[in-house]
Amino acid sequence: MIDATDELLTARDKGIPTRAVGMTASAFLATAPRLDEFWTPLVVLDDTAMRANVATMAAWCAERDLEIMPHGKTTMAPALWKRQTDAGALGITLATMGQVRTGRDLGLDSIMLANSAVDPRSMTWLAGELADPDFRFVCWADSIATVDAMERALHGVDLPRPIDVCVELGAAGGRTGARSIEEAVAVASRLAASDALRLAGVAGYEGSLAHDRSPEGLAAVRAYLQAQLELHRSLAELYDDGELYVTAGGSAYFEIVADVWAGAERDGRTRFTLRSGAYIVHDDGFYRGISPFDEGGTGQGPHFVNAMHGIARVVSSPEPGLALVDAGKRDFPYDEGLPIPRAAADELAGSWHPVDAVVSAMNDQHSYVRPAEPLAVGSVVRFGLSHPCTAFDKWRVLPVVDSVESGVVVDLIRTWF
């Protein structure tokens, strides 16, 4: 996988210290930088927490004989993908053919597209990539119309080998996916009869069926996963002798996926594959509230640790009980909850102390902080953030500190959105 530390740092990279401009990331890191050199606003990653999260997920999957192809669209960061594959991930999941092309260019050799691929231009490109016998690729189809469109896109294209395609099962009120097992079987039959495509298993996403851990939501997720296994069993006569996939699992309900799959017959060629991606950094909002492994949970089970923090500087205090900081929607995620003020300090190098405050609103480049005690203009606030998938895409380069309290910068993570 490509080593992004050889990329030049420029003044276009938000937050980078002035002295780093024109240096490669590796050369800058060799100078032992500290976070207090960086400009605000920032999103900072915690190395110790990320390593713990990756190790936790890898061990948990191994204990249950599960594969994982983490969803790489969460970070679009090859350095973080490498941490996951080095820990045993089968490959990386991506969401669009544009991301697949980017992933291949960055060195990925095992990709699941959690989507359909029907665009003739991208399909022609894919055919060329499949000439590499070591390239693993699998995508999804949820209708006969999708299969027809894929075959039309491949008409006249020199295809080195059939494209592996999983039948996607959906559910009423969900996202994509055939709406019944009967419809999915018809799609599978069409795939099995294709010369250009190969029926490679069943796929789906349970996360769109619930948004909390209510009994009703969890029951809907469990029923869907049981239907997925029923579909897999019903396709036995259509499968060839090659490798197969049963794949599901976002970052919210993966323990239910594992529990349902535990009752499935293992045949030695079917890879039961999770696609959870957000676990590498977890968060301090949505996943903190819904993940089965949240650090605030009870019991002795595995826990993820929040490894993603926002830092912004107070630039205005125009009235009592209000402070404006220099980070807004362009810098911090807000689609799954507003940032959560956690600590404050006089400066980035200063000691952090807990802060009692809330964010009441966000503009493009400002957040409205309502503190119980005044925050001085020029001081800094550290925020918990919610939803990694819409945090990383706002940053080309993110500093990694050895721990959130230390301020010692040990890496720079570059994204490729």
Side-chain angles (χ1 to χ4, degrees):
M1 211 170 297
I2 192 171
D3 183 0
T5 59
D6 288 332
E7 294 284 325
L8 284 178
L9 299 169
T10 78
R12 301 170 189 171
D13 296 321
K14 291 193 296 185
I16 293 298
T18 300
R19 73 177 181 89
V21 173
M23 301 174 70
T24 65
S26 56
F28 176 60
L29 291 168
T31 68
R34 296 188 62 86
L35 195 63
D36 57 16
E37 298 183 64
F38 285 67
W39 295 21
T40 58
L42 286 170
V43 167
V44 180
L45 305 179
D46 183 319
D47 186 62
T48 300
M50 287 195 295
R51 291 184 186 279
N53 292 343
V54 170
T56 293
M57 192 62 159
W60 186 84
C61 288
E63 289 169 1
R64 288 155 182 78
D65 194 24
L66 299 177
E67 304 281 6
I68 186 167
M69 296 182 77
H71 215 319
K73 57 89 176 173
T74 299
T75 66
M76 287 303 290
L80 298 185
W81 296 345
K82 188 174 187 302
R83 292 185 184 217
Q84 293 168 309
T85 56
D86 284 352
L90 181 63
I92 295 295
T93 297
L94 295 167
T96 69
M97 284 299 289
Q99 290 178 358
V100 171
R101 184 173 66 175
T102 298
R104 279 293 278 168
D105 191 60
L106 292 169
L108 289 179
D109 58 11
S110 180
I111 298 174
M112 177 178 291
L113 174 67
N115 211 334
S116 301
V118 297
D119 171 54
R121 285 147 290 274
S122 62
M123 295 293 277
T124 299
W125 169 86
L126 176 62
E129 295 300 304
L130 291 174
D132 178 358
D134 295 325
F135 177 38
R136 176 198 305 274
F137 177 82
V138 58
C139 63
W140 303 357
D142 67 353
S143 69
I144 291 176
T146 301
V147 178
D148 290 343
M150 293 181 75
E151 289 189 328
R152 285 196 303 271
L154 293 167
H155 181 71
V157 174
D158 183 13
L159 189 64
R161 52 189 163 106
I163 298 172
D164 282 354
V165 183
C166 289
V167 178
E168 181 188 2
L169 181 66
R175 199 167 63 185
T176 52
R179 287 321 200 229
S180 68
I181 290 177
E182 292 74 21
E183 290 179 25
V185 170
V187 178
S189 298
R190 179 70 176 80
L191 284 168
S194 175
D195 293 328
L197 310 173
R198 173 183 172 267
L199 176 62
V202 300
Y205 176 55
E206 75 289 346
S208 63
L209 302 178
H211 209 66
D212 56 28
R213 285 196 162 264
S214 66
E216 297 79 11
L218 297 183
V221 167
R222 185 173 292 274
Y224 167 76
L225 294 164
Q226 290 167 340
Q228 186 188 53
L229 285 186
E230 181 182 346
L231 172 61
H232 177 55
R233 289 190 295 267
S234 71
L235 301 184
E237 297 301 317
L238 293 174
Y239 288 142
D240 62 19
D241 295 331
E243 186 175 73
L244 301 173
Y245 301 86
V246 173
T247 178
S251 295
Y253 306 112
F254 56 84
E255 93 288 8
I256 299 177
V257 178
D259 185 54
V260 173
W261 284 356
E265 181 179 348
R266 301 299 180 100
D267 56 15
R269 68 190 182 103
T270 301
R271 294 182 178 271
F272 287 80
T273 306
L274 296 175
R275 303 188 311 277
S276 313
Y279 70 89
I280 190 169
V281 294
H282 196 47
D283 75 1
D284 209 8
F286 176 69
Y287 287 115
R288 183 178 178 84
I290 202 169
S291 170
F293 287 4
D294 178 62
E295 62 186 297
T298 59
Q300 301 301 311
H303 290 148
F304 294 145
V305 182
N306 175 37
M308 178 179 67
H309 307 270
I311 300 178
R313 192 175 300 275
V314 179
V315 294
S316 176
S317 184
E319 61 187 57
L322 175 63
L324 281 298
V325 298
D326 63 352
K329 295 179 180 179
R330 303 291 190 193
D331 310 296
F332 295 165
Y334 56 92
D335 59 310
E336 291 285 3
L338 298 177
I340 306 164
R342 293 298 189 193
D346 293 337
E347 252 299 349
L348 286 170
S351 59
W352 294 92
H353 57 84
V355 63
D356 181 9
V358 297
V359 171
S360 61
M362 297 177 78
N363 297 152
D364 287 349
Q365 307 292 175
H366 293 90
S367 293
Y368 295 68
V369 181
R370 306 285 179 174
E373 299 292 335
L375 292 169
V377 173
S379 64
V380 289
V381 180
R382 190 173 74 218
F383 296 86
L385 305 177
S386 180
H387 200 199
C389 298
T390 51
F392 280 83
D393 64 353
K394 303 177 190 309
W395 294 87
R396 288 177 47 168
V397 178
L398 299 94
V400 181
V401 292
D402 62 351
S403 72
V404 70
E405 297 293 340
S406 80
V408 177
V409 177
V410 297
D411 203 357
L412 294 174
I413 300 297
R414 184 172 288 274
T415 65
W416 302 88
F417 284 94

